[in-house]
């Protein structure tokens, strides 16, 4: 559904939950490359994990999903040695 239409519908809008918490709960079971320096790097090295989390939120009834980019800025990513990947993430 178009977001503007959803806003006008008067229905409650349900957003997804905490990406970081779900990533942490799945880290040992599903992430193929445990060498990720931070959650945002998973967008590049394990996109299927991020996609599956988004699909689970949609299947649970979320109307809106947010990107896995909470810390995707140069200030944060420099701490992980991947500040050069801001645009790619």
């Amino acid at each position: 559904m178009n977001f503007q239409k959803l806003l006008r519908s008067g229905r409650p809008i349900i957003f997804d939950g905490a990406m970081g918490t779900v990533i942490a709960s799945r880290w040992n079971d599903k992430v193929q490359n445990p060498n990720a320096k931070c959650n945002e790097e998973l967008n590049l090295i394990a996109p299927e994990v991020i996609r599956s989390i988004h699909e689970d939120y949609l299947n649970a009834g979320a109307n809106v999903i947010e990107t896995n980019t909470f810390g995707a800025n140069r200030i944060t990513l420099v701490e992980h040695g991947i500040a050069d990947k801001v645009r790619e993430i």
Side-chain angles (χ1 to χ4, degrees):
M1 175 182 284
N2 175 289
F3 189 66
Q4 292 295 325
K5 186 176 179 181
L6 184 61
L7 287 173
R8 288 189 299 271
S9 74
R11 294 184 1 213
I13 299 172
I14 301 170
F15 285 76
D16 66 4
M19 284 295 292
T21 302
V22 176
I23 289 169
S25 73
R26 296 184 183 191
W27 187 264
N28 292 327
D29 295 334
K30 295 186 180 179
V31 176
Q32 300 300 314
N33 185 344
N35 297 318
K37 296 168 185 76
C38 60
N39 287 347
E40 291 76 16
E41 190 177 31
L42 292 172
N43 295 342
L44 306 177
I45 65 173
E48 68 283 354
V49 173
I50 302 305
R51 185 177 302 110
S52 74
I53 292 169
H54 289 315
E55 288 171 352
D56 288 348
Y57 276 123
L58 290 170
N59 290 334
N63 301 108
V64 180
I65 56 172
E66 300 175 15
T67 61
N68 179 42
T69 54
F70 181 79
N73 59 72
R74 289 192 193 286
I75 294 168
T76 301
L77 295 181
V78 74
E79 297 173 18
H80 302 288
I82 57 172
D84 60 323
K85 295 185 179 184
V86 170
R87 185 177 300 267
E88 190 178 355
I89 291 172

